[in-house]
Amino acid sequence: MSRAFADLLPVALDAEQLAALAPLSRTDDLLWVFSRWAERGWLRALDLAFVRFLHELEPGGDPLVLLAAALTSHQLGHGHVCLDLVETLKAPDFALSLPPEGDGAVILLPSQVLAGLDGAHWCQALAGSRLVAGAADDSAEARQRPLVLAGTRLYLRRYWAYERRIDSALRQRLAVHEGGNTDLRGRLDALFGARDASQPVDWQKLACALATRAGFSIVTGGPGTGKTTTVVRLLALLQAPAVAAGQPLRIRLAAPTGKAAARLSESISQQVRGLDVDEAVRARIPADVTTVHRLLGSRPGTRHFRHHAGNRLALDVLVVDEASMIDLEMMANLLDALAPHARLVLLGDKDQLASVEAGAVLGDLCRDAEAGWYDPQTRAWLEAASGETLGGAGLQQDTDASHPLAQQVVMLRHSRRFGEGSGIGQLARWVNQQQPEQARALLAAHSHGDLFCLPLKGEQDRALERLLLDGHGDGPQGYRHYLSLLRSTRPHAPTHDPRWAAWAGAVLGAFDEFQLLCAVRKGPWGVEGLNLRITAALLKARLIDSDQQWYEGRPVLMTRNDYGLGLMNGDIGIALNLPEPDANGTLRPVLRVAFARNDGQGGVRFVLPSRLNDVETVYAMTVHKSQGSEFAHTALILPDALNPVLTKELIYTGITRAKHWFSLIEPRAGVFEEATRRKVKRLSGLMLELA
C-alpha cells in the first residue's frame, strides 16, 4: 500500500479493519495511526511533520524507528528531553500522557500499538537505522543523523547536544577547586556570627563557604529559607578581598522572568542596605537584576544570542535566581557564554515545577541535595571553613567519593517565612512529602487562620464568585479590593502629576494581594473559562463597566518578551484611565496600561493598549506562570478530573505562592489527593554519572 493510498484511508475504521492494521511492521499503517492521534490532539502537528520528514529521508526504514521518533518528539512537548524505550514499554499509559477524550470513534491507543513490543528488539532496530547515531559515535557522518541512542534513551540530536554541552561544562567546573580563601573562617563569622553550639546547623553559612570552593555551586531551599540572604552575604564574601586588592569583581544577577528579576532586585536592595561591611564593598554589590534572555542578548526571531562561546559575557560572578524555571536549552546557552574563570551560582527551589520547556535542570542537578552525600574531604573542609558541625545534621556519608556534583550543592532547611505555626508551611511540607491524608486532615481541621478550603457543588456554584470577589469575610481579600481602591483613591490632579503614578502603583500593589491559580488552560476550571466567568461576575457586580477587550481595571499578563517596550514574559499590568488633553485642550480620560518598572529604577510605566500584542487577561493564571511571584492571598482551583499536569510539584508550587493566606477550591473531591500522590518524573540523562 503506497503512502498516498494510506492518506486516503477513512478517518475511522471498524474493529475488523483496525485488527488488520500492522503499525509495527507497515509504515503506511503507522502513519495512518499517527494522523488519527494528531487529530485527537495527542500528537502535535510538529510531531507528525517530523515523522513524515524522517520517512522521506529513509523511505524503506523500519517503522519502529518512526514510532520511537514520534514518541520522542511527543515527550519533548511534555518536558522530557528523551524517550526511555524500556520504561515506556513497562507502562505505556504512565510513561506517555493518555490521549484526550474524543468523539468515541474506535482508534488504537498508544498502549495497544506498543503491546508485545520487545525493548531489546526496539533498540536493535534503532541501532541499525541510518537515522540514528550511537552516543559514542562522534564521526562527521554520525553528527548528521537526527536521532541519538544512548543506552535505552533516544534523543533528538539537538537535545542530546544540549545535554552533552551542559555535562561537559559542569564537569570542567567541578574538577577545579580553588585555592585557600584568605581568612575565610573569620570573614564568615563576621557576616554570620561565630558558631553557637545551642543553635542548629547554619546552612546559609555552609552555602557561602562551599560556593567559594569552586566555580559552580547550587543553593536550593523552599520559600523563606533565606536564599536571597545567603547570596547577598556570599557576594560580600567574594567581593571584600577583591575590593581590598583593588580588583573588584564584575558581578551580574539574573532571573528567568521579568517579575522574578524585579522581586530579586527589590529583595537584594533591602538586604544590601543592612549588611555590616565596608561601604566600598557594599557599593560593589549590585542590586540590578536582569532577565537571562536580556543578559545573553536575545536575537528576536532566532534561537541565537549575542553572547556565546565565541563572545563571552564580561563578568566574574553570575547569580541566577529561580533556576527551576530554566530549561535545558537555556542552561546550555548560559554555560556556553560564561568564561572559564567565571563563577556560576544557581538559586532555586528544587521541589517547584520545572520549566515549561524541555528539561528539569535544577531538579536533575539537585538529586542528592536532601541527603547531602558530602564526602569526608568536603565535610572536613566545610567544618574547618565555617566552624559548623555536620555530625548531627542527618546527612548521608559518601565514603567512596562517587558524588562529585553533590559536593557543590547545599540545601537550606529552615524556613523563616513558614514557621511551625504556619498552616501554609505545614500543608506545603505534607504535599511535598506526598502525604495526602495528612494534608487533607490539616485542611479539614480549620485550626489555622491562613488555610481555607472551598468544595464546590457543581459548575454553577456561586460560592466561587463570592470567594473570588470578596475573599473570606474580614480576612483575605478578593478582586473587589483592588477595583474599589482604583475608584476610591483616584487623584484629582493635572496631567503628569506624580500622584497618578503613585495611584497606579498602589492599584498594582492591591491587585497583587490576591491571585487565582489554575492547573489547566482549557475547560470550565481552566484559565480561559475562568477569566471569562470572573469578568462576567465583576461586570454584574458593577466593579467594571465593560466586558469588551479593553476596559479600566483589566489586568493583563505579558505572554512574550517585548524588548522594545522593556516588558518581559510574566509582567502584569492594569488598564487605567488617565487624563489627557484633546485637540481643544479639554482633559479626557484615555486608557493606559500601568506596569511596575522592572529595570531597577522603580515606579510605574504607562503603555498604550494598542502597543500590547502579546497579553491576556489575568484574573486567573496557570501555576506555571505564577512561578517567581508571591501573593498575599493565593487561591488554587483544581479541575474536576485527573489530568497529566496534576502532580505534587504543581500543588506545592501553587501553595507556596501564598504569603499570608491560601485557599484550595475543589470542584470534585479526591482530585487533590490523587495529584499529591503523583510526582513529576522528567526523563533525562543529565549528569547521571555524577549524580
Side-chain angles (χ1 to χ4, degrees), residues 73 128 241 279 320:
S73 182
E279 186 58 40
V320 181

Side-chain angles (χ1 to χ4, degrees), residues 43 101 172 222 282 303 334 401 404 416 480-481 487 551 675:
L43 278 186
E101 293 182 8
Q172 291 173 22
R282 184 183 292 110
R303 306 182 84 101
L334 191 63
R416 291 159 178 79
R480 185 186 299 273
H481 171 57
R487 293 184 176 185
Y551 53 86

